[in-house]
Amino acid sequence: MKFDNKKFKIYRQSKGFTMSELAKKLNVNKSTVSVWESGQKTPRINQIFKIAKVLNIKASDFTDLEDTSTHEQLIKSAPSTVQAILEKTLKLDKEHQEFVLKMIENLPNEPTHEK
């Protein structure tokens, strides 16, 4: 996903939000908004759609995402193995989704290869 941090900043300012105000609406820290605007980090897809809603704009105004649901965008933009995981996980109830998340969080960040 391409995120245009300069457009993001322009939209935030044109809608009259300070970084702190937008951060509060998005339930993130001001520093998070700052690193998005500086281009150091990119918001997650679910955050992109929340930003668009708060600023009353389309996600496509500051990303290369189409303006469809978050879940559809996640599935379309992910590799096939991740698509399969997402599709199955989205069908689960919240409790089981949280279980899957905990399992994933416990995986090592780097692949391990046994010899």
Side-chain angles (χ1 to χ4, degrees), residues 90-108:
L90 290 171
K91 293 177 184 175
L92 299 173
D93 61 40
K94 184 174 176 140
E95 181 181 338
H96 286 97
Q97 288 177 352
E98 289 172 0
F99 175 78
V100 170
L101 178 60
K102 286 179 185 175
M103 296 296 291
I104 291 170
E105 288 172 343
N106 289 323
L107 292 172

Side-chain angles (χ1 to χ4, degrees), residues 36-101:
W36 292 342
E37 285 192 3
S38 68
Q40 294 172 329
K41 291 192 176 184
T42 301
R44 288 185 231 131
I45 291 177
N46 64 323
Q47 293 167 318
I48 294 288
F49 286 96
K50 195 170 182 182
I51 291 165
K53 184 176 181 178
V54 168
L55 296 179
N56 197 28
I57 59 176
K58 297 177 181 178
S60 60
D61 289 336
F62 60 104
T63 70
D64 63 349
L65 295 175
E66 298 170 17
D67 294 303
T68 58
S69 78
T70 305
H71 298 303
E72 290 173 13
Q73 281 297 322
L74 283 170
I75 292 169
K76 287 180 183 177
S77 65
S80 61
T81 51
V82 176
Q83 286 180 10
I85 293 167
L86 282 170
E87 288 172 358
K88 290 187 183 298
T89 305
L90 290 171
K91 293 177 184 175
L92 299 173
D93 61 40
K94 184 174 176 140
E95 181 181 338
H96 286 97
Q97 288 177 352
E98 289 172 0
F99 175 78
V100 170
L101 178 60

